[in-house]
Amino acid sequence: MAVEVDVWSVDLDEDAPPTSAVLHLLTAEERTRAAGMAAGRRREFVLCRAVVRRLLAGRAGVPTSAVRWGTGRDGKPGPAGGVHWNLTHAGGRALVATCASAPVGVDLLRADAAGGTAGVVRRFGTAAERSALQAAPEGDRQAVAAQLLARREACVKALGGRLLDLLDLDVPGPGEPCSAGRVLTTADVPVAPGWAAAVAAAAAGPVTARQHRWCWRAPTGAPGHAASGVGP
């Protein structure tokens, strides 16, 4: 049976409101935590948590103030109201993944990554990842490396572990069977040119990733203030 994952693409720059407009959606603990951050990091933290709380509140049909979750051993947020979720953000973009049936992970990174993604795969990748990189045309290797790294990080987050502890993880490609010894499946997520993203679910899969574009100006009352459009 397919595992359905909803992936919300969020613009944290041009379309985003000032943090003062959404700060009330956060808990007191989150507001205190945000106050101790540098300005840029504080802005992304507040906006991302506002989106997460609106999405989860919309899924559960409760006020944002009623949304609660715990954290796992390595700090991964647990499900809220029976909905598993995960967040990633980089360079003014964020992706939020939600899944009702299995723990989920999502990752997003620049495909060029200052030219360093291929080097990371060559040094730390598994034999299968290094082979996939070597087989790619020279001009595509940074993008291929970024996609491999996005899948790996999404899998690590779905499992609730730490990247350093799972460097030997046999990461399945989209549509491939679960990795040996673990129940795990992945799907790539198309984003804007120059970016790589992937989702993973700790389930037998396959994963169906439904993409949505977050709209900050959606009318109040729309589910989770979600956008009407669908796409990367």
Side-chain angles (χ1 to χ4, degrees):
M1 178 180 296
V3 179
E4 295 183 343
V5 178
D6 287 290
V7 182
W8 300 85
S9 179
V10 185
D11 182 350
L12 299 175
D13 286 336
E14 294 183 6
D15 293 336
T19 56
S20 58
V22 297
L23 193 61
H24 66 284
L25 298 173
L26 278 61
T27 64
E29 184 275 332
E30 287 171 332
R31 292 194 295 270
T32 299
R33 181 178 168 188
M37 297 177 178
R41 187 181 175 207
R42 177 171 63 248
R43 182 175 181 276
E44 287 199 346
F45 175 82
V46 170
L47 292 174
C48 286
R49 284 301 173 96
V51 171
V52 167
R53 290 192 168 279
R54 280 179 167 171
L55 279 174
L56 295 177
R59 290 286 297 265
V62 299
T64 55
S65 59
V67 175
R68 294 288 186 273
W69 60 76
T71 55
R73 182 189 61 188
D74 292 310
K76 180 190 176 184
V83 177
H84 300 272
W85 66 278
N86 198 234
L87 163 73
T88 181
H89 60 89
R93 292 177 176 272
L95 296 178
V96 182
T98 63
C99 181
S101 59
V104 66
V106 62
D107 193 53
L108 166 76
L109 70 160
R110 289 295 299 264
D112 56 19
T117 52
V120 172
V121 173
R122 290 190 184 101
R123 183 175 181 183
F124 298 107
T126 62
E129 288 170 333
R130 294 195 302 271
S131 294
L133 180 64
Q134 186 61 34
E138 183 68 33
D140 295 338
R141 286 180 183 170
Q142 293 296 345
V144 169
Q147 197 63 56
L148 291 169
L149 292 174
R151 290 177 196 159
R152 170 166 294 278
E153 183 64 26
C155 288
V156 168
K157 294 168 79 173
L159 294 172
R162 298 188 308 163
L163 182 59
L164 289 177
D165 295 334
L166 294 166
L167 289 177
D168 62 344
L169 177 67
D170 182 17
V171 175
E176 293 180 359
C178 300
S179 56
R182 292 184 174 91
V183 179
L184 191 66
T185 49
T186 69
D188 290 344
V189 178
V191 286
W195 292 82
V199 293
V207 172
T208 298
R210 300 180 298 199
Q211 292 180 255
H212 314 270
R213 186 176 290 120
W214 180 264
C215 181
W216 291 100
R217 297 177 178 83
T220 302
H225 288 233
S228 57
V230 177

